[in-house]
Structure formats: C-alpha cells, structure tokens
Amino acid sequence: MSQLLPNFLKIRTLGAMQHEKIVILDFGGQYAHLIASRIRRLGVLSEIRLPDQTTADDLQEKNIKGIILSGGPQSVFAEDSPRTDDAIFDLGIPVLGICYGHQYLAQALGGKVAPGTTGEFGRAEFTHDGQCPLFENIPSPTVVWMNHVDAVGTFAPGFDPAGSTEHCETAAAFDPKKNFYSVQFHLEVTHTPEGNAIFENFLDLCGCSRDWSVEQFLAEQEAQLQKKVGDKNVFLFVSGGVDSTVTFALLTKVLGPDRVRGLFVDTGLLRQNEVEQVETSIRAIGADLTTLHEADHFLGKLKGITDPEQKREIIGHAFLEVQQQFFKQHNLDESWLLAQGTIYPDTIETGGTQNADKIKTHHNRAPEVQKLIDAGKVIEPVAELYKDEVRRLGELLGLPKELVWRHPFPGPGLGVRILCAPEDIDQPIAEPVNAFTLQRKTRPFVALPIKSVGVQGDFRTYRHPGVLTSVPGEKTLDNLEKFATKLVNHYDDINRCTFLLGQNFSGKISRIQVAQTDISPDRVTRLQQADAIVTRLLREMKVYQDVWQFPVVLIPVAFNGTGSESIVLRPIDSIDAMSASVGKLPWEFFDRAATEILKQDPQISAVLLDCTSKPPGTIEWE
Ligand code: XMP
C-alpha cells in the first residue's frame, strides 16, 4: 500500500476482508462512484483508488479480480490529464476501460486517440456482431449513453474492434488474449439500459463468484469490530441522519449498550419533533443516547447573520465547539474510542457537492478529530459502504423503516433553508406577468428581490428567483419545468423559477416586500410547521418515497402587503444530487400542501413551487 495514502484510507484498509474485489481507478468526476455502486449491487466488492497513487505493486493482491478504468472530464491530450502506472497492464488481471478509460487504454498500449471537435453526447445506438464476450446476450443494436469529444483513432495492437455507433466507429474493442475490454459509452448510467448486463459479463470474465452482500458484511463486522475495539468503550455523535444512526445501532448490537454511548446535538435547526423521534427510535433498539440541548448556543451565534456561507461556517464551527467542550469535560481517557458514521463517498475525494464536501469534511476530519485518527482512536465501521448499503444494514439491524429511508438532510439543517435579508426592500410591480412571449420588456414572471444559489456551467451563481403566476399550455409539472428552463436560459438575471401555488391575496402581484431578518427562533418554528405539513402529507398520500428529497424553504418575501414571509416547496427527483429534476408528485399534493400551510399561519403570504431542474438551480436555495 502506498505511503502516500491519506490516513482515512489506511484506517479503512485495516478492516478490509479478503473478499474478491474489483478496483476502480478514478479518473475524475462522479463516474467512479456510479461504477463502484453498480458492481457492488451485482455482488462483488468494489474499491475506488486514485490512479496517480496506485502502482502495479499495490494491485498484486490475489483477491483483485479485475480493474476498471473510469471515465473522467479531461481529454487524454490535456497536459495534466490523469495517468496511472502502466505496469498494471502486465499483471494478468482483466481490465475494462470506460470512456476516458477506453481512450487511456488505447493510448497506453500503443494505439492512437484522435482529438474531436464536435463530440457525441447523450443517446446513441450501439451495434456489435456478438464476437466480443463482453456483449454476450446483449441485443444489437442497443441504446447507450455517450459523453465524449475525442475518440479512439487506432486500437492498440492485439485489440479487435467490438462495436460502433453512428458517430463513433471505435466505440468498443477487446483483446481476447489479455482479457481486456473497453467501451466509449457510459455503461454505469441508467440511460444505458443494458449496462448492468454488460457489467455482469465483465464480472464473469473476471471469474468473480459474487461473494459480497450487506448481510455478509454484517456477519463479518461482528468479529471484526470486537477485534478492533478490544476492551475499549465507544462514543459517537449522532446527527439523526441515517449514517450515524446505523453506525450507532451496529456498534450497540456488537458491543452491547453498556459500552457504546451516543451524543445527539440538538442544534435548534432540526425538523419539528425530530429530537423526540430520533431519541425514541434509537432507544427502541436499546441504545444509550444522551441529548445535548444546544439550540441557544447555535441560534445565539447566528444572531444578526444573513450571508449564506457565513451561516454555514458558523454552524460548522458551533458543532466543533460542542464537540471540543465534550472532549474537555469528559477527559476521555485511554479506554475510549470515537466512532463516526463516515460512508464511502465521504472518504473519496470526488464525492458529494462542493458544499456537502466542505461541511462533511469539516465534521469528520476536524483537526481535533484528525488528532484522534492519527492516534488510532477513531473507528468508522460503515466507511466501506454506500448510502443504499447503509440503509439495508439499518434494516437488518432492526431500525424503523421511516428512519432508515428518510430523505437526505443537509448538515446545517434548516439553517440553509431559512433565507435572511440584510435590509428592507419595498418594490411596486407595474408589469403584467402573464404574457408568454420571450421578450425582455414583457417578462412573463416577476423576479424576487432576493437571491438564491444556482449552478450554471461549472459555476455557482447567485441570482434572483422568478415567480410565474400561470403557464402556457397545460398546467403540468413537465410543462412548468420546461418553461422554467427556457426562462432561465433566456433571462440572465434569474437562475430558478417558481410557480405561485397559493396565496393570501387576490389579483395580480402588485407589490413585493422583503423584511430585514436573520434566523430567529420564531422563523425556525414557522419553517418547522410548514415542513411538518409537507412531511405528513407525503406520508399520508404514500408518496414519500416517490421523491428523493423535499426541501421546504422560508423566504422573507411578502406579496401585496399580506403576511410577512413566504414558503417555497422544492420536490426533488435525483439519484445522486449531482443533477436533479422536479419531483413529479400529483397536483393534489401541492394544492393540499399550499392550502394547509396558508391556513395554519396567516403570516405566510404565498406558497411557491420551485420548478427548476439542477442545473440551472441547485437543490437547496442557499
Ligand atoms: P445542492 O443544493 O448543492 O445540494 O444542489 C446537493 C445535496 O447536498 C445537500 N447539501 C448539503 N449537505 N451540508 C450538507 O451536509 C451542506 O452545507 C449542504 N448543502 C447542500 C443537499 O441537501 C442536497 O442533498
């Protein structure tokens, strides 16, 4: 194992079992995680390694059955394009190259890559002649997902062509002697319908026996954790999220409640009744949980703060203070270890969004914690697992389904869902708002005088959200989403678009007021109440699992002199949070949610439905 490996990878490797495994060399972007989780779901352990830190020597483990070279955003011609130790191709281990990996393999083994100009993006029809075993039982043609500019010009010696698309003659190749395969398309995305079947073929070609499952993981952890922990005791901070809760349940099951202590920090920025719900479900499995009531501490620090990034920093810092104080007060001696619910994507640098990374890294790799890691006093029992595996483990451990399958919730909690304003604004609206022509003079929306975050191209943008009061054609979510995209592409002062679902006023929007405000306890309660209505309706109407996440956001915006604030509903359909579309729930859901929210709180001026995909909007408003 390379000396260059960061500490967290060393910790993880200590616990690795001798499962058969597929190593994925991560050439960048998000592709490696998608590949790794696909392989695991097919019953083979997968591990992501960094190509520039992996040598052929590192891959000499006898349980490594195959190597996958992932896609990546770079061109092989770029000066700093990622490379690996090409001696790995002499190890006799089967290799599969995907996209960048396809081109890298050609180039490294003596073929040629041709620089492209236009590229091939999205759906393509792949045709093959059935000669390459990677495509055994795969229909031809079959739909595949392309995302490339350069293409292989000449295959390396020993390689035979294995298939093509209309725009790419060299879409697949194989070297039957070496057991090397390579494809230009992305078989890891759901848009390549035969992707899983092709991976299955590769696993067969690697001779994998499929010895990986979460059930197996649990069975092995019992002995492993006993060994790792020895006669020490363990404590951990529970956030109420899936990862830390499952870690807590696992440790409690293996070590018994007397040796595991959980600390739950009530930041005051959790959802309504969340503290009680988390306490109840954790105690139901017999675990020992102490709640630290720190709402005053967190809200005190946030007083007067309106800037989103500053809020995130303050919340992250307040967590650390609580932890540090705990370390100090309890004078933790040699008999204690710290456990953390770090999961696999957190330990690999490409995972998550910029913000998620920042906050998570902040928590799990804070200097105080890093010191403990260096001293060997930290265990991370689910650090090898993906989220869906952690959820499965939670179920096996008997945690309630509602807890295990909860929507993801950001680390800073409701703190990033309560928009603040540094000053009062009072703006009369003179324009008509339902003319549907795309002309800068007659805008079919009202731009709110606040800003929210979006992601356009490679950049985060802070721009105004638009409000639509009607939509051309049928009032469907599909139509709204399409129209929102058109508007955001056309008008460069907005980065997302909402639809007015319900309001406290009649007639057209004629005035918008923004009140100077920070995160006050009243505003937290206001958002908690609206959020609770949404969660209850999602469950009552049995559509909770039909959306991936559903942020409810409080904005300090009042229309036509009614109320003081408004609520935004943000239903999300996504797989990995990197891209997202609007969660397509029935209209009845939105109508009921808007009606109940307005009825419950007369201070709510309007309820808006965010109908922007990501990009150009982000999932959260801050
Ligand atoms: P965005 O808003 O970037 O969100 O599209 C993507 C995913 O990340 C979550 N998120 C966060 N999680 N700390 C977290 O732990 C944060 O500061 C943070 N910001 C966004 C968000 O809920 C979504 O699932």
Side-chain angles (χ1 to χ4, degrees):
M1 187 53 63
S2 160
Q3 287 307 304
L4 292 171
L5 275 190
N7 275 321
F8 56 80
L9 285 183
K10 283 184 189 147
I11 296 172
R12 193 166 51 76
T13 326
L14 281 180
M17 296 292 298
Q18 289 305 298
H19 282 285
E20 289 178 349
K21 89 186 148 193
I22 298 288
V23 167
I24 293 139
L25 293 181
D26 177 4
F27 284 110
Q30 289 301 305
Y31 308 100
H33 282 298
L34 290 178
I35 299 168
S37 63
R38 283 272 165 137
I39 299 290
R40 294 210 190 169
R41 272 180 235 167
L42 298 174
V44 180
L45 180 62
S46 55
E47 203 173 283
I48 294 179
R49 305 241 182 132
L50 305 175
D52 59 344
Q53 293 184 22
T54 304
T55 64
D57 265 0
D58 295 330
L59 300 182
Q60 299 259 24
E61 297 165 37
K62 72 174 182 320
N63 53 326
I64 296 180
K65 306 294 270 182
I67 299 169
I68 297 182
L69 313 176
S70 85
Q74 296 251 42
S75 157
V76 289
F77 296 110
E79 212 168 277
D80 56 347
S81 62
R83 302 201 55 83
T84 192
D85 174 6
D86 290 343
I88 63 167
F89 301 124
D90 300 325
L91 293 171
I93 302 175
V95 173
L96 169 64
I98 299 176
C99 195
Y100 178 92
H102 173 65
Q103 298 172 13
Y104 183 84
L105 197 59
Q107 202 183 49
L109 298 180
K112 274 213 156 39
V113 176
T117 44
T118 48
E120 189 185 19
F121 303 104
R123 188 192 150 96
E125 289 211 338
F126 174 71
T127 312
H128 67 93
D129 61 8
Q131 295 301 305
C132 172
L134 189 67
F135 304 122
E136 194 174 307
N137 296 325
I138 305 298
S140 174
T142 182
V143 170
V144 296
W145 210 252
M146 287 290 198
N147 191 14
H148 67 116
V149 178
D150 300 339
V152 173
T154 322
F155 292 125
F159 276 80
D160 294 329
S164 58
T165 65
E166 190 191 344
H167 299 289
C168 184
E169 266 300 302
T170 53
F174 72 124
D175 179 335
K177 284 210 190 89
K178 290 191 172 151
N179 222 0
F180 284 2
Y181 305 87
S182 90
V183 294
Q184 181 59 67
F185 54 86
H186 286 273
L187 64 160
E188 69 275 21
V189 301
T190 45
H191 293 89
T192 298
E194 295 292 333
N196 259 354
I198 300 173
F199 273 132
E200 286 273 20
N201 285 342
F202 179 64
L203 296 177
D204 286 344
L205 291 162
C206 294
C208 292
S209 64
R210 311 325 196 241
D211 64 356
W212 165 259
S213 68
V214 177
E215 285 79 355
Q216 188 73 24
F217 173 87
L218 176 58
E220 291 160 1
Q221 276 304 307
E222 308 217 354
Q224 272 212 356
L225 274 175
Q226 292 279 11
K227 200 165 136 206
K228 263 195 235 169
V229 175
D231 57 1
K232 297 199 159 63
N233 296 316
V234 179
F235 74 90
L236 79 164
F237 289 95
V238 183
S239 69
V242 179
D243 308 336
S244 58
T245 308
V246 172
T247 303
F248 192 22
L250 175 64
L251 287 165
T252 302
K253 178 170 189 317
V254 174
L255 305 172
D258 296 344
R259 293 176 56 199
V260 188
R261 183 150 173 219
L263 292 161
F264 181 30
V265 183
D266 172 9
T267 58
L269 296 165
L270 296 166
R271 291 176 155 161
Q272 193 180 66
N273 298 332
E274 188 156 21
V275 176
E276 296 76 12
Q277 277 163 13
V278 171
E279 283 176 338
T280 310
S281 2
I282 285 183
R283 289 193 181 128
I285 55 162
D288 173 16
L289 183 74
T290 308
T291 304
L292 303 176
H293 293 281
E294 294 289 339
D296 290 348
H297 179 73
F298 280 78
L299 294 181
K301 296 254 168 194
L302 288 166
K303 220 172 167 43
I305 306 295
T306 57
D307 177 71
E309 275 317 300
Q310 220 181 334
K311 286 197 292 185
R312 272 198 174 79
E313 251 166 54
I314 287 173
I315 296 168
H317 212 82
F319 263 115
L320 290 183
E321 282 174 352
V322 171
Q323 286 195 8
Q324 275 164 5
Q325 203 171 351
F326 181 84
F327 288 138
K328 245 190 232 151
Q329 271 172 359
H330 291 76
N331 200 9
L332 294 167
D333 62 16
E334 288 303 309
S335 69
W336 284 91
L337 294 178
L338 169 74
Q340 300 201 109
T342 313
I343 67 169
Y344 198 48
D346 298 341
T347 61
I348 302 288
E349 275 153 328
T350 51
T353 63
Q354 277 171 15
N355 283 320
D357 264 357
K358 218 155 99 189
I359 295 292
K360 281 188 180 157
T361 316
H362 215 42
H363 286 178
N364 291 2
R365 296 287 176 265
E368 196 75 14
V369 177
Q370 193 60 52
K371 261 191 238 154
L372 292 172
I373 292 177
D374 293 341
K377 300 189 84 178
V378 175
I379 51 165
E380 301 186 313
V382 297
E384 283 182 35
L385 302 187
Y386 280 101
K387 191 89 168 185
D388 59 325
E389 295 171 320
V390 174
R391 290 192 152 132
R392 175 80 194 115
L393 181 62
E395 284 185 337
L396 293 174
L397 290 165
L399 287 171
K401 266 201 158 50
E402 309 85 74
L403 186 77
V404 170
W405 289 99
R406 266 162 34 135
H407 295 163
F409 190 57
L414 299 181
V416 290
R417 294 184 179 169
I418 298 177
L419 267 66
C420 304
E423 58 186 8
D424 289 336
I425 301 172
D426 195 343
Q427 190 174 296
I429 303 290
E431 295 173 9
V433 294
N434 43 14
F436 292 122
T437 47
L438 287 184
Q439 289 171 359
R440 275 167 209 274
K441 276 191 187 152
T442 46
R443 295 150 69 95
F445 61 87
V446 173
L448 295 180
I450 54 167
K451 286 185 180 172
S452 84
V453 70
V455 55
Q456 288 163 288
D458 283 341
F459 301 100
R460 294 216 144 207
T461 55
Y462 255 88
R463 293 185 184 161
H464 301 286
V467 181
L468 287 167
T469 51
S470 52
V471 65
E474 242 186 299
K475 196 181 82 173
T476 62
L477 286 175
D478 263 341
N479 246 346
L480 271 170
E481 193 173 15
K482 276 187 204 140
F483 194 52
T485 308
K486 228 186 214 176
L487 292 177
V488 173
N489 286 338
H490 189 79
Y491 295 97
D492 48 19
D493 58 332
I494 58 169
N495 57 5
R496 63 174 80 227
C497 215
T498 64
F499 178 73
L500 185 64
L501 268 181
Q503 66 273 29
N504 231 339
F505 56 90
S506 48
K508 282 189 180 151
I509 297 175
S510 55
R511 182 178 175 201
I512 298 181
Q513 285 162 292
V514 172
Q516 181 203 13
T517 180
D518 56 6
I519 299 184
S520 62
D522 286 354
R523 296 190 76 210
V524 175
T525 308
R526 171 159 296 142
L527 178 58
Q528 281 174 331
Q529 284 172 346
D531 180 75
I533 290 175
V534 170
T535 306
R536 175 172 52 73
L537 286 176
L538 284 172
R539 294 209 189 277
E540 258 175 40
M541 293 178 69
K542 303 204 176 354
V543 289
Y544 186 85
Q545 290 303 342
D546 294 355
V547 282
W548 187 80
Q549 199 176 13
F550 197 142
V552 178
V553 183
L554 183 67
I555 55 174
V557 174
F559 297 89
N560 295 10
T562 60
S564 57
E565 315 228 39
S566 292
I567 287 286
V568 181
L569 307 183
R570 178 81 170 125
I572 291 294
D573 188 6
S574 178
I575 289 176
D576 52 15
M578 295 304 296
S579 60
S581 53
V582 180
K584 307 290 184 307
L585 297 173
W587 265 113
E588 187 198 345
F589 173 88
F590 297 116
D591 286 339
R592 279 180 66 181
T595 310
E596 284 200 33
I597 290 169
L598 288 166
K599 196 167 148 205
Q600 174 183 262
D601 187 346
Q603 283 308 311
I604 301 294
S605 176
V607 178
L608 308 172
L609 170 64
D610 187 345
C611 37
T612 325
S613 54
K614 171 183 177 177
T618 45
I619 293 176
E620 304 288 350
W621 270 45
E622 286 194 337

